[in-house]
Amino acid sequence: MINKDIFLLMGQSNMAGRGLQSEVEPIADSNISVLEEGAWRVAEEPLHHDSSEAGVGLAMSFAQHWRSYHPESHVSLIPCAVGSTNIDEWLEGPLYDQALNCAKLSKSNGTLRGVLWHQGESNSGTLEKAEGYADKLAFLINKLRRDLEIPNLAFIAGELPQFLKQPNRFQYADRVNLALASLVGKVPGYQLASSEGLTANADNVHFNAQSLRELGARYFQAYLGAKDD
């Protein structure tokens, strides 16, 4: 049995991936697998199937960089992100339970190396939803580590897009980004990937495919920083 380096993918649509597949070359590697309907298969995008708009995400690029750094490894991805979800839905209930159960089951096939998280757009529309984001995310990290019995599990988050400027929809995105940044150095094993300079799809909400490839590379660099803690 192949020992896998496993990563759990959580959050909302920018983690699930809304990049157009026609805009980038596909990443094809038989040593990158994805968990789908309880079975592992060779990974190809879209990894998530939460929406008919699911496409290119950041995780395949992350896995590609992991493989370059660890050429003898097999990377396995567990896609659990769901578009339009807020952080409260991830703290308990069906979303959390599904992610936890998939991660627990996968541990018999390899080593769970970390969580890749991108979420916050749904918490940036009102001050009420944005307030307390840092405390909620810290709670989620600690809860996952406790329930998985991996106290040093790496947790990598990404900044919200800096192009989110739509009035009356994402006006508190900067506040959520500050909350994400505030946990660096405060929560061991946590790092943040920057969204600086990344660009949008036509909807001005989701990263485009090229930017998601770059964001995956930034997540990998952030992971290396998290393991240096």
Side-chain angles (χ1 to χ4, degrees), residues 55-205:
V56 172
L58 65 90
M60 284 295 283
S61 175
F62 174 90
Q64 184 181 51
H65 282 81
W66 179 275
R67 289 266 300 123
S68 295
Y69 198 79
H70 303 284
E72 303 303 318
S73 69
H74 184 105
V75 183
S76 295
L77 306 170
I78 306 174
C80 294
V82 178
S84 301
T85 53
N86 64 60
I87 195 169
D88 294 301
E89 295 176 87
W90 286 99
L91 297 180
E92 59 181 353
L95 293 177
Y96 180 83
D97 292 344
Q98 180 189 16
L100 180 66
N101 290 336
C102 287
K104 283 182 174 179
L105 288 171
S106 73
K107 288 169 65 177
S108 64
N109 298 119
T111 303
L112 186 61
R113 299 290 185 186
V115 177
L116 308 186
W117 169 264
H118 198 285
Q119 191 280 331
E121 292 90 343
S122 291
N123 286 86
S124 64
T126 68
L127 181 59
E128 180 183 9
K129 289 181 178 179
E131 284 186 327
Y133 189 92
D135 289 339
K136 290 177 179 179
L137 186 56
F139 175 85
L140 176 62
I141 295 168
N142 290 329
K143 184 177 181 181
L144 273 170
R145 289 172 172 174
R146 182 192 69 233
D147 291 347
L148 290 168
E149 299 181 319
I150 309 175
N152 61 344
L153 181 66
F155 194 101
I156 312 303
E159 283 187 319
L160 300 190
Q162 297 183 15
F163 49 72
L164 287 178
K165 303 297 181 184
Q166 297 182 20
N168 304 318
R169 191 174 181 191
F170 303 113
Q171 58 265 51
Y172 295 100
D174 288 345
R175 184 181 290 263
V176 174
N177 275 339
L178 287 172
L180 288 162
S182 72
L183 299 184
V184 178
K186 182 178 179 181
V187 175
Y190 170 90
Q191 285 292 338
L192 181 66
S194 170
S195 66
E196 182 177 0
L198 301 184
T199 51
N201 281 333
D203 60 13
N204 287 316
V205 175

